[in-house]
Amino acid sequence: MNDTARNTEEIKYQQALKRVKKIKGFYSHLLIYIVINTMLLVVNYNNSGENANFWHWQTFNTVFFWGIGLTAHGLSVFLPSFMMGKDWEEKKIKELMEKEKQNKWE
């Protein structure tokens, strides 16, 4: 295997590693969201007692706003590959490098 092939494989490996870390970060965020919000809802339900004030906005505002953040995190992890295509980033990098090369020689 020549140096160019090794470098290409190394770049692909680093990109895959970066993507896996982003996905892992999202799943960790999702797990924490589920655990913490389940605990908060259980505590709020147990504390609501006979007053039946469990079904108020204050009970669910953390779930709602944190859910918006979690959705944004998920979109940032998964949406670019759907919107931009499989190898969009790599193609764009090569395109910009070619433009830079051309500008240096002109």
Side-chain angles (χ1 to χ4, degrees), residues 19-35:
R19 178 113 173 97
V20 166
K21 285 183 179 182
K22 284 182 179 182
I23 293 170
K24 182 180 177 185
F26 170 74
Y27 286 135
S28 297
H29 188 181
L30 177 62
L31 179 65
I32 291 167
Y33 171 84
I34 291 169
V35 169

Side-chain angles (χ1 to χ4, degrees), residues 44-102:
N44 283 334
Y45 182 76
N46 289 336
N47 289 340
S48 67
E50 294 179 19
N51 298 339
N53 63 357
F54 177 75
W55 299 105
H56 289 279
W57 167 246
Q58 291 83 4
T59 305
F60 299 98
N61 63 2
T62 302
V63 174
F64 178 74
F65 288 114
W66 192 353
I68 291 172
L70 182 65
T71 301
H73 187 180
L75 291 174
S76 75
V77 171
F78 296 109
L79 194 60
S81 62
F82 292 130
M83 297 271 300
M84 310 274 185
K86 193 171 183 179
D87 296 322
W88 179 86
E89 232 178 79
E90 189 174 324
K91 289 177 187 174
K92 194 65 174 174
I93 289 169
K94 287 179 182 179
E95 176 188 325
L96 292 173
M97 288 173 63
E98 283 299 318
K99 282 184 182 179
E100 185 67 28
K101 241 190 244 184
Q102 289 173 1

